[in-house]
Amino acid sequence: MRAFLQGKKLALSLSALVTAAVIYGLFLAGSPFQQREKRFDERRIENLREIAHSINYFYSRYGSLPGNLDQLEKGGNSAIDITDPETGRVYVYETLSGTAYRLCAVFSQPSGENADLFLAHGAGKECFVLHAKKIETR
């Protein structure tokens, strides 16, 4: 009987340890919902980088900024995604003056401490003021 109780205590202890390890792992990795939001934010950053590159290409080719993001197809890059991966809305794009323009997106989570300047953002709507640069076109 004593061996049975010791075995039961050991089994309960191991179960508690495994449960604690799983909970700790979820805490470190974030919930599936948080991971989904993180992937959306990563895709938003990729999209904004591609849009900025396409704007540089458009500026290099035509000498002006596009009037809207749909014009980037005219610039020869129809493969870029100009819409938010979660909402399907077109990213906010505004021309400012000269070569300056603003790109905005709504992020689910703030970026980490290791993000570079372009990646650094808070949660919610964030706008980046950028300048078109001439790049070599072939």
Side-chain angles (χ1 to χ4, degrees), residues 58-101:
F58 187 99
Y59 178 73
S60 298
R61 189 166 183 191
Y62 298 103
S64 64
L65 295 174
N68 57 55
L69 294 179
D70 291 329
Q71 285 187 325
L72 293 177
E73 290 181 358
K74 176 184 170 187
N77 197 346
S78 60
I80 66 165
D81 194 349
I82 61 172
T83 59
D84 183 281
E86 186 175 17
T87 66
R89 292 188 183 128
V90 175
Y91 292 109
V92 173
Y93 164 76
E94 303 169 300
T95 58
L96 299 175
S97 64
T99 62
Y101 63 94

Side-chain angles (χ1 to χ4, degrees), residues 36-68:
R36 182 175 182 262
E37 285 184 334
K38 184 178 178 182
R39 284 192 305 273
F40 278 137
D41 283 349
E42 289 169 353
R43 184 65 196 147
R44 287 178 183 108
I45 289 296
E46 288 175 33
N47 289 350
L48 294 180
R49 283 187 187 279
E50 290 171 1
I51 291 168
H53 179 75
S54 293
I55 289 171
N56 287 341
Y57 181 80
F58 187 99
Y59 178 73
S60 298
R61 189 166 183 191
Y62 298 103
S64 64
L65 295 174
N68 57 55

